[in-house]
Amino acid sequence: MIELVRAGRSFKARRTTVHAVRDLTFTIEPGEFVGYLGPNGAGKSTTIKMLCGILTPTSGTVRVAGLDPSRRRTTLARRVGVVFGQRTTLWWDLPLRDSFDLIRHLYKVDRKVFAERLEELVETLDLGEFLKRPVRQLSLGQRMCGDLAAALLHAPEILVLDEPTIGLDVVSKAGIRDFLRRVNAERGTTILLTTHDLGDIERLCRRVMVIDHGRLAFDGSLEEFTAGESSLEEVVTRLYTGS
Amino acid sequence: MPAPGHGLSSCRHAAEVTILYLKLIHYSFRRHATYVGAGLAGAFTNSVFGVLRAYILIALWQARPGLGGYDVTAAVTFCFLTQAMIGPMQLFGGGLTLPERIRSGDIALDLVRPASLQLWCLAEDLGRAAFLLLVRSLPPTLLGAALFGITAPADVPTLAVAFLLGLLVSFAWRYLVALSVCWLADDRGVATASMLLMTFFSGLMLPLNIFPGWFGELARALPFAAMVQVPSDVYLGTADPLPAFAFQATWALVLLALGVLATRAIRHKVVIQGG
Amino acid sequence: MVRTYLLLAWTWTRAAAAYPLSFALMCVMSAVVAGLDVVVILIIFANTTSLAGFSREEVLFLYGAATLAFTVADTFCGNLDRISQHIKAGTLDTMLIRPAGPWIQVATDRFMPARLGRIVQAVAVLAYALTALDLPWQRLWMLPVMIATGLVIFAALWTLGGAAQFVLVDAPEVTNAFTYGSGQLSQYPFSVYGRDLVRGVTYVLPLAFVNWQPGLYVLGRADPFGTPEFMRFLGPVAALLLALLAAAAWRRGLRHYRSTGS
């Protein structure tokens, strides 16, 4: 579903070249739920932007659903759902309902299919009472639910989530985790999730990838990841600090 | 003998307050100085508009030499001066951080400070104006001089006074507009109306002395004339400095006094009613 | 593409219409602000009967035609000059994950239907000038052509400005000099400007084809700068060339963004 072969991305900044990501090689099969970890500035967002076609890789190849994201950006957009935890993909001043309706048109979703999906999403994410409210008036948790619904309305095969639980309270987090687990299990949607919240990883991901200084530092199952350590925190701290 | 000691302490207090406000001007200058690029971009736009308007004024003064007491050179000079004053006089409105602070509620913090809100804002605004005078006023003036040949100021010290008084009027007006956010749900209407008045009746679009009849007399009597028209006339030497200063100072006092009242009202609203 | 555009614009219009009083006020305000330019022309002609060889009604005709094209272009793609804000805030990234072109999304983002007030104002001035001038109807076919030409030229300018902002992220105001400056420039007969400036805005940046060259034809006047007669009809060609250039520049800007990820 997602395939990176020696993918690299460097930026030129004042005579020096910064390698945000280098030699990244991994494959994600359909239906997987992968946690993508790494300290701030390790290259997580760069990877995600390459997967969505927002950034063009400087070396290697990236294939998502068999397509080159930077060349087939709009075609791919119909098959991928993206959520940025730090900023909304919804229209800030429009009521949630209008945002959803725009998405229906932009992604050319059949009206009947759309109505069914929306109803299901509104019910599971408990969005009913917020539909008429402009996005800017929603709380962070409500907005994130709205963003998740928006990313799933066109029934994407792949869901890419960049820190979806950032800043949320315990209850909202639990709700969103539960929802993501169901999406992965029931629809078979492939999910790639970056997060700083180890709870997300522990409760959701069967596979963990860690990126550090632009290189893949670990790629394996959650069990392998935590093997021989008492807690996830310790593993991560050890990896991040390089000790 | 309490009197001399008291006098001394109040003297020291005054010095401290002066230093505080000078520091505020300095900080504000430095804060704006981080946006040199934007300032120069604005200067570029002002210069382009200066050139375009200069041609129109030249065409008009060729048809009517000596119109409004200006010759062609004076009209062109006036044109570039008005473009140069857009930045420091903040003719398109804004320039104050007050509306954001009112909307975010931070205004309550400003009001509990043991300093006058109005003076505090004025100090910040003077810092802003000083910076914009450098990056947004000099380029259009120099360009005008290079392309069309503009006249030098008649008298620099009187120009400085007229410019400062103009700044006071501009600040006092924008302060009132900014505070109006407190009482209005939608402040865009007031902001647009203010921009309209400041751009049109300041002399930015055409010299006010060629506005016809009663309309001209009205335009020349409004406070906006004190922001651009009067300083420009002092620059050109086409206005007597003393009546010009008196006109500007009167409007500055009136608007600043209204600002004091408005500050009191907002203090009452925020502190006593709790927002 | 047109469908997507209208859909997005209509959604914003509906959102604005949710506050009818505020919406009406902004419509009136934008018409009044734009009307100031007409007041300037009227004040000029309160002091003279002719400006650079043109009468009040002729100037109002040139103003009306250019301003109509300008305000329509501004309404429909003026928001392109906010691209640098979208780059800084990261909202361009959220547009790039959608299956629609970023040009449409940026142009319609916060689409302001209140700008319609200015279009109405321009139409009113143009209608007045046409009635007052009593022009021969044989030449009036040029009017819709010149307005469409102007519309394309201004839209291309905004696109070029937007493309430039991919590079000038920190000083986007520079592009205002070109977009709004061009609008200001074409409000007056070009005979007021210097010969070199007019050459520049004829052969380099084809602003002369917004209203000046075709306007001379409609008014039945010879060009004071002495350009040949066939120049009056070159507008659509010039507009097409500029539009192609703008499209290429926009693509290039977008490619630059996607390869730097600023």
Side-chain angles (χ1 to χ4, degrees):
Chain A
M1 210 76 223
I2 299 176
E3 192 184 2
L4 273 77
V5 180
R6 300 186 62 100
R9 172 71 235 191
S10 56
F11 296 99
K12 286 195 184 68
R14 288 190 191 150
R15 282 183 228 157
T16 57
T17 308
V18 182
H19 295 275
V21 167
R22 51 173 121 187
D23 270 352
L24 209 55
T25 303
F26 65 78
T27 308
I28 295 176
E29 300 298 335
E32 278 199 272
F33 201 135
V34 181
Y36 195 37
L37 289 171
N40 292 323
K44 293 192 302 284
S45 292
T46 306
T47 314
I48 284 193
K49 284 184 184 177
M50 288 199 295
L51 294 182
C52 307
I54 298 172
L55 270 182
T56 320
T58 38
S59 63
T61 53
V62 178
R63 286 283 177 284
V64 178
L67 301 168
D68 177 353
S70 61
R71 298 223 171 130
R72 308 288 304 279
R73 188 181 59 77
T74 42
T75 318
L76 188 63
R78 289 182 211 287
R79 302 175 62 180
V80 180
V82 186
V83 173
F84 296 111
Q86 308 268 26
R87 58 184 94 100
T88 182
T89 59
L90 301 164
W91 286 263
W92 196 244
D93 295 304
L94 295 181
L96 200 49
R97 181 138 213 133
D98 286 5
S99 271
F100 290 157
D101 205 47
L102 276 178
I103 285 165
R104 176 174 83 78
H105 285 99
L106 285 179
Y107 288 85
K108 301 196 169 64
V109 185
D110 176 74
R111 189 184 288 273
K112 233 182 98 195
V113 176
F114 173 83
E116 283 166 17
R117 272 185 210 150
L118 183 62
E119 197 185 348
E120 191 198 330
L121 285 167
V122 165
E123 200 180 317
T124 40
L125 286 166
D126 213 7
L127 284 169
E129 44 183 317
F130 313 120
L131 281 177
K132 281 187 188 145
R133 234 184 262 175
V135 174
R136 66 184 134 81
Q137 290 177 11
L138 299 181
S139 76
L140 194 59
Q142 293 158 355
R143 204 206 77 203
M144 189 44 63
C145 288
D147 262 305
L148 274 173
L152 288 167
L153 276 169
H154 59 290
E157 301 148 55
I158 302 167
L159 187 58
V160 179
L161 306 158
D162 193 2
E163 305 190 19
T165 53
I166 195 163
L168 298 186
D169 63 56
V170 187
V171 182
S172 307
K173 257 183 205 170
I176 283 180
R177 282 174 188 159
D178 189 44
F179 176 75
L180 291 176
R181 195 181 303 118
R182 279 180 57 186
V183 169
N184 177 247
E186 290 167 17
R187 301 187 189 197
T189 309
T190 313
I191 300 183
L192 178 68
L193 163 96
T194 81
T195 184
H196 284 300
D197 189 318
L198 299 174
D200 291 347
I201 302 287
E202 245 169 350
R203 287 176 184 78
L204 292 172
C205 306
R206 290 184 292 278
R207 177 177 166 195
V208 180
M209 295 193 299
V210 180
I211 188 173
D212 194 17
H213 291 96
R215 291 175 195 274
L216 209 54
F218 177 88
D219 184 0
S221 70
L222 184 64
E223 291 77 32
E224 284 168 354
F225 190 55
T226 47
E229 299 281 351
S230 53
S231 75
L232 196 54
E233 271 86 356
E234 277 178 32
V235 190
V236 171
T237 316
R238 193 167 46 76
L239 262 172
Y240 284 12
T241 53
S243 55
Chain B
M1 288 199 295
H6 181 74
L8 203 65
S9 86
S10 76
C11 200
R12 187 181 300 149
H13 177 70
E16 275 167 4
V17 168
T18 314
I19 289 172
L20 166 72
Y21 287 112
L22 286 176
K23 274 195 172 155
L24 278 175
I25 295 179
H26 178 74
Y27 290 155
S28 169
F29 183 94
R30 275 213 317 228
R31 192 161 40 98
H32 282 88
T34 53
Y35 304 105
V36 181
L40 288 174
F44 176 68
T45 307
N46 295 155
S47 303
V48 168
F49 272 82
V51 171
L52 298 179
R53 287 193 192 278
Y55 276 120
I56 297 163
L57 293 188
I58 291 171
L60 177 57
W61 259 265
Q62 271 169 354
R64 290 283 315 274
L67 177 66
Y70 294 168
D71 56 18
V72 176
T73 318
V76 170
T77 307
F78 182 93
C79 170
F80 282 98
L81 287 180
T82 57
Q83 291 296 324
M85 278 192 260
I86 289 176
M89 297 291 175
Q90 201 76 36
L91 293 178
F92 291 103
L96 301 171
T97 50
L98 216 46
E100 294 156 39
R101 299 214 287 247
I102 292 172
R103 255 181 245 120
S104 67
D106 290 349
I107 190 74
L109 300 175
D110 297 337
L111 285 168
V112 295
R113 260 198 298 248
S116 150
L117 177 68
Q118 201 178 10
L119 278 177
W120 189 285
C121 290
L122 174 62
E124 288 189 336
D125 200 51
L126 288 178
R128 175 201 61 77
F131 173 71
L132 291 184
L133 182 66
L134 285 181
V135 292
R136 283 189 67 174
S137 301
L138 281 182
T141 318
L142 294 178
L143 183 84
L147 285 181
F148 296 90
I150 65 174
T151 58
D155 182 44
V156 176
T158 45
L159 171 65
V161 176
F163 183 77
L164 266 175
L165 285 170
L167 268 183
L168 270 183
V169 178
S170 158
F171 162 76
W173 170 260
R174 282 178 291 117
Y175 183 78
L176 285 173
V177 171
L179 283 192
S180 73
V181 177
C182 283
W183 291 277
L184 294 164
D186 189 357
D187 57 309
R188 287 178 306 173
V190 178
T192 314
S194 165
M195 184 196 81
L196 206 142
L197 292 166
M198 283 176 82
T199 49
F200 194 71
F201 289 106
S202 62
L204 173 65
M205 302 182 86
L206 276 180
L208 299 182
N209 47 4
I210 69 163
F211 281 29
W214 63 267
F215 188 57
E217 273 166 41
L218 173 73
R220 291 187 287 273
L222 292 174
F224 314 103
M227 299 174 197
V228 175
Q229 179 71 42
V230 173
S232 301
D233 273 332
V234 170
Y235 179 104
L236 291 167
T238 45
D240 284 336
L242 286 180
F245 295 165
F247 173 75
Q248 289 179 301
T250 310
W251 270 120
L253 282 176
V254 170
L255 293 175
L256 287 171
L258 284 173
V260 172
L261 294 178
T263 314
R264 257 187 224 154
I266 178 184
R267 188 183 295 274
H268 182 83
K269 193 172 150 75
V270 172
V271 178
I272 297 178
Q273 300 173 348
Chain C
M1 222 173 107
V2 177
R3 242 197 61 180
T4 312
Y5 187 101
L6 292 177
L7 168 79
L8 286 164
W10 175 243
T11 311
W12 285 104
T13 309
R14 239 182 12 205
Y19 305 93
L21 197 70
S22 178
F23 178 68
L25 184 74
M26 289 315 288
C27 271
V28 173
M29 278 294 190
S30 73
V32 174
V33 171
L36 287 184
D37 286 330
V38 184
V39 179
V40 168
I41 293 175
L42 295 180
I43 292 178
I44 287 175
F45 281 97
N47 290 288
T48 180
T49 50
S50 141
L51 188 73
F54 285 78
S55 74
R56 186 173 81 165
E57 276 65 33
E58 285 173 321
V59 172
L60 284 175
F61 165 75
L62 292 171
Y63 166 90
T67 307
L68 180 55
F70 181 80
T71 50
V72 174
D74 188 16
T75 306
F76 289 99
C77 34
N79 286 343
L80 287 173
D81 69 9
R82 287 212 294 248
I83 183 96
S84 64
Q85 292 174 28
H86 288 297
I87 291 172
K88 278 191 236 166
T91 37
L92 188 63
D93 285 351
T94 65
M95 291 177 181
L96 285 170
I97 63 159
R98 303 248 175 257
W103 189 92
I104 288 185
Q105 293 186 67
V106 177
T108 51
D109 188 63
R110 275 157 225 229
F111 176 79
M112 284 191 279
R115 286 175 172 171
L116 289 173
R118 297 187 310 171
I119 299 178
V120 171
Q121 179 263 347
V123 169
V125 173
L126 188 60
Y128 163 77
L130 284 174
T131 352
L133 283 168
D134 197 21
L135 295 161
W137 59 269
Q138 294 94 328
R139 291 203 300 262
L140 282 181
W141 63 268
M142 181 59 103
L143 192 61
V145 176
M146 71 192 267
I147 288 163
T149 304
L151 178 58
V152 173
I153 288 177
F154 285 129
L157 278 178
W158 257 294
T159 309
L160 280 170
Q165 288 193 10
F166 280 108
V167 185
L168 299 166
V169 181
D170 293 315
E173 298 88 346
V174 171
T175 59
N176 289 356
F178 291 100
T179 48
Y180 290 94
S182 301
Q184 164 73 30
L185 178 100
S186 49
Q187 287 182 1
Y188 287 85
F190 280 29
S191 50
V192 305
Y193 303 117
R195 184 174 284 272
D196 290 330
L197 177 61
V198 173
R199 275 208 192 110
V201 295
T202 307
Y203 302 110
V204 184
L205 202 65
L207 295 173
F209 300 101
V210 170
N211 66 343
W212 174 239
Q213 290 285 354
L216 287 172
Y217 170 78
V218 177
L219 294 172
R221 307 261 318 228
D223 184 355
F225 295 104
T227 58
E229 184 78 23
F230 72 88
M231 292 280 284
R232 316 285 178 269
F233 308 101
L234 286 185
V237 181
L240 187 70
L241 286 177
L242 192 67
L244 288 175
L245 182 71
W250 177 264
R251 288 229 176 86
R252 223 192 136 90
L254 200 62
R255 212 164 39 230
H256 174 79
Y257 174 78
R258 296 212 288 147
S259 64
T260 57
S262 26

